[in-house]
Amino acid sequence: MNDPARQSGDDGGGAVGAPTDLHAFAVALRRMNGEINRLVHAFAGDHGLHATDVQALAAILDAEAPMTPKRLREHLGLTSGAVTACVDRLERAGHVRRVRESADRRVVHLYYAADARGAARTYFRPLAAATEAARSRFT
């Protein structure tokens, strides 16, 4: 901890005591986030992708309705050109499929390719196991 006030337990209001459980929890969350980022970057590198591409894959996988390039652009905060390049990379790598809506050919839905799900599951399985182990300690 680099902040002397935090080290002393000073909450800024003059109270001095032990560091709070909330502070310890925040530190643990930052460390966990760093480890997840490291894992995401490693997955991206191993698959010839960018870290943003992995974020796009997660958004496509987690979407409650079929993802569209427009919704993906809004979710990731990217330009339309950047999303097109991202989806092109993901499609070339076999991670996503573009499917045109039959009623309106201008509408494109993005789907996570079934074969790619297996690779992601295998790669991220240790993270899922660690998350489940942590979650199981809570009621």
Side-chain angles (χ1 to χ4, degrees):
M1 293 192 317
N2 293 329
D3 182 357
R6 282 245 190 241
Q7 289 174 354
S8 69
D10 184 349
D11 65 1
V16 177
T20 65
D21 288 339
L22 185 57
H23 174 71
F25 184 64
V27 169
L29 282 176
R30 280 193 298 275
R31 288 180 181 159
M32 181 184 73
N33 188 51
E35 287 301 308
I36 290 171
N37 283 338
R38 184 187 57 76
L39 190 61
V40 164
H41 280 84
F43 178 83
D46 288 352
H47 290 87
L49 303 173
H50 298 252
T52 302
D53 299 345
V54 180
Q55 291 175 337
L57 283 173
I60 293 165
L61 180 64
D62 295 342
E64 293 180 8
M67 182 62 77
T68 64
K70 178 183 178 186
R71 285 185 38 233
L72 185 61
R73 178 184 62 77
E74 291 167 351
H75 178 80
L76 297 175
L78 299 175
T79 65
S80 59
V83 166
T84 298
C86 173
V87 172
D88 287 347
R89 283 190 301 272
L90 292 172
E91 190 174 40
R92 275 193 309 272
H95 290 278
V96 298
R97 295 179 299 114
R98 283 181 172 116
V99 177
R100 295 212 180 271
E101 186 64 39
S102 60
D104 184 348
R105 303 277 300 153
R106 296 172 295 174
V107 177
V108 175
H109 290 153
L110 305 172
Y111 294 97
Y112 206 126
D115 294 344
R117 284 179 191 235
R121 277 192 195 111
T122 299
Y123 203 93
F124 290 102
R125 186 168 284 129
L127 175 61
T131 302
E132 177 56 27
R135 189 202 59 80
S136 71
R137 296 185 345 209
F138 297 93
T139 59

